[in-house]
Amino acid sequence: DTEVTQTPKHLVMGMTNKKSLKCEQHMGHRAMYWYKQKAKKPPELMFVYSYEKLSINESVPSRFSPECPNSSLLNLHLHALQPEDSALYLCASSQDIGRMDEQFFGPGTRLTVL
Amino acid sequence: ILNVEQSPQSLHVQEGDSTNFTCSFPSSNFYALHWYRWETAKSPEALFVMTLNGDEKKKGRISATLNTKEGYSYLYIKGSQPEDSATYLCAFIKGNAGNMLTFGGGTRLMVKP
């Protein structure tokens, strides 16, 4: 199984809602990532988890809260988001966090904040 | 802020044409360069990981070269097919930044049958 799955595919939420994005991989990868992609822009790294521990947080606002409950699962909890947070959220995983480790991406969750 | 640029932004070619596009990145503090292919409504897919100056990698009709001294990489597609239509993204890793990718803006390739 060389797939990274993400649920839901689409999510519409109000600014007062709390929701979560889910990402799963069963490739035995020990690094997992969240990226944000705004329209017509490249993906931007948000968080990196290595061996289930948060290793990088790219100055992401606290309304985004990542969680790695086990080595196969990565969640992104969303609370009090703003309309400008509307974007495609991509999850990825890699064997480890070395420079040669290609990242396997999920198809993304399209988030709209009203 | 790292400057990773790709050109052209978009490209229309006929089936059978060969094509190439460029990724420019900072030449100092180079660590690695990744190329990804992203078809609409699908997941980005890794094509190549390149680390050494002069590296050349090939996968079928697609190949890539790397020049770390001048800070550029070329991606070549020989005999383009409609199924090659996708956005091609390069991603730069600086210094000892583990696996932190900084993506370029991508080149959108459309191959007409």
Side-chain angles (χ1 to χ4, degrees):
Chain A
D1 183 2
T2 58
E3 209 180 24
V4 175
T5 58
Q6 288 188 244
T7 53
K9 281 191 167 52
H10 301 275
L11 179 62
V12 179
M13 60 187 288
M15 289 190 282
T16 57
N17 292 157
K18 281 186 185 182
K19 296 282 183 186
S20 297
L21 309 185
K22 183 178 165 183
C23 172
E24 201 162 357
Q25 57 87 15
H26 295 287
M27 293 178 276
H29 288 174
R30 303 318 299 258
M32 295 185 79
Y33 311 78
W34 280 115
Y35 289 87
K36 174 181 178 178
Q37 196 216 8
K38 301 277 284 179
K40 299 192 187 300
K41 299 278 188 185
E44 289 182 354
L45 183 67
M46 300 174 73
F47 302 105
V48 181
Y49 271 83
S50 175
Y51 290 82
E52 298 159 50
K53 287 187 170 26
L54 182 65
S55 66
I56 291 167
N57 174 342
E58 288 286 272
S59 306
V60 180
S62 60
R63 56 186 186 268
F64 294 92
S65 173
E67 180 201 16
C68 190
N70 60 57
S71 58
S72 302
L73 265 179
L74 185 66
N75 297 321
L76 186 63
H77 302 298
L78 314 172
H79 173 52
L81 293 195
Q82 304 296 310
E84 59 265 27
D85 296 322
S86 298
L88 181 70
Y89 288 84
L90 289 163
C91 173
S93 70
S94 63
Q95 188 65 44
D96 209 318
I97 55 167
R99 60 177 174 159
M100 295 294 292
D101 290 307
E102 62 185 48
Q103 293 183 22
F104 290 73
F105 283 83
T109 292
R110 176 79 57 191
L111 174 68
T112 303
V113 182
L114 301 175
Chain B
I1 296 176
L2 292 175
N3 218 15
V4 182
E5 294 185 358
Q6 291 187 244
S7 62
Q9 280 190 337
S10 66
L11 194 52
H12 289 77
V13 301
Q14 288 294 135
E15 183 175 353
D17 287 351
S18 292
T19 187
N20 66 85
F21 20 94
T22 308
C23 171
S24 302
F25 51 84
S27 56
S28 61
N29 212 13
F30 174 85
Y31 202 42
L33 189 85
H34 292 215
W35 278 101
Y36 288 84
R37 179 171 176 273
W38 195 357
E39 283 182 74
T40 304
K42 294 192 177 177
S43 310
E45 174 196 352
L47 287 173
F48 305 114
V49 177
M50 308 177 84
T51 56
L52 298 174
N53 185 43
D55 244 357
E56 287 189 33
K57 301 255 178 166
K58 191 173 178 187
K59 190 184 275 192
R61 293 178 291 98
I62 305 178
S63 59
T65 60
L66 180 67
N67 183 324
T68 60
K69 293 185 196 278
E70 294 180 42
Y72 65 84
S73 175
Y74 291 139
L75 191 82
Y76 300 90
I77 303 179
K78 189 176 173 184
S80 304
Q81 300 296 308
E83 57 266 29
D84 296 328
S85 298
T87 296
Y88 291 83
L89 291 162
C90 67
F92 170 77
I93 302 178
K94 70 169 183 178
N96 235 351
N99 204 6
M100 287 177 60
L101 301 177
T102 299
F103 282 92
T107 292
R108 186 162 178 209
L109 174 68
M110 282 152 283
V111 183
K112 296 177 196 172

